[in-house]
Amino acid sequence: QVQLVESGGGSVQAGGSLRLSCAASGYTYGEYDIAWYRQAPGKECEGVAGIDRDGTTRYADSVKGRFTISREHAKNTLYLQMNSLNPEDAAMYYCAAVPPWVSVRDPAEPRDYQYWGQGTQVTVSS
């Protein structure tokens, strides 16, 4: 059974950094389309960054140049390095994955992802 467990959230001041982790079990990240999403209270779920099955990375315009998505195959872990955080980045962050035999829209949508973690909270104070 696929399980995703996020960690690394916390509270930082504007301009600070955090690194989120998502540990996967039950499958190998290299085979799946994986992504980070976030949702703030009263707002829709927003795609933050993702890695396609061919290894191509993608980012939301709002985080380009500040966030970096990566994965460590040996640890089967997905990361999101977040720099220059601002209050608009505050949200619950989720990692998500979908197996290679399932079609994914272009661009991918939250409903494409079959597996989700429980989320990790990021708070940014001004």
Side-chain angles (χ1 to χ4, degrees), residues 15-27:
S17 299
L18 285 173
R19 189 177 79 155
L20 306 183
S21 300
C22 177
S25 60
Y27 77 96

Side-chain angles (χ1 to χ4, degrees), residues 19-114:
R19 189 177 79 155
L20 306 183
S21 300
C22 177
S25 60
Y27 77 96
T28 303
Y29 268 137
E31 303 169 343
Y32 282 53
D33 188 308
I34 50 179
W36 286 99
Y37 280 83
R38 66 186 180 186
Q39 188 165 25
K43 295 187 178 181
E44 293 187 356
C45 186
E46 174 190 19
V48 176
I51 302 179
D52 296 339
R53 291 156 185 164
D54 62 1
T56 302
T57 58
R58 59 186 188 272
Y59 297 91
D61 288 342
S62 60
V63 307
K64 283 181 181 177
R66 301 187 298 121
F67 291 11
T68 303
I69 188 172
S70 62
R71 60 187 175 194
E72 186 172 355
H73 292 290
K75 295 184 178 181
N76 218 20
T77 300
L78 178 70
Y79 300 101
L80 185 67
Q81 178 66 44
M82 306 187 296
N83 299 327
S84 301
L85 286 161
N86 58 61
E88 290 69 38
D89 296 315
M92 184 71 81
Y93 283 70
Y94 301 90
C95 63
V98 57
W101 53 86
V102 176
S103 298
V104 176
R105 294 167 180 81
D106 183 16
E109 298 178 9
R111 55 180 169 168
D112 292 327
Y113 292 89
Q114 290 190 347

Side-chain angles (χ1 to χ4, degrees), residues 7 13 62 100:
S7 62
Q13 291 188 330
S62 60

Side-chain angles (χ1 to χ4, degrees), residues 110-122:
R111 55 180 169 168
D112 292 327
Y113 292 89
Q114 290 190 347
Y115 304 105
W116 292 79
Q118 83 288 348
T120 187
Q121 183 69 46
V122 172

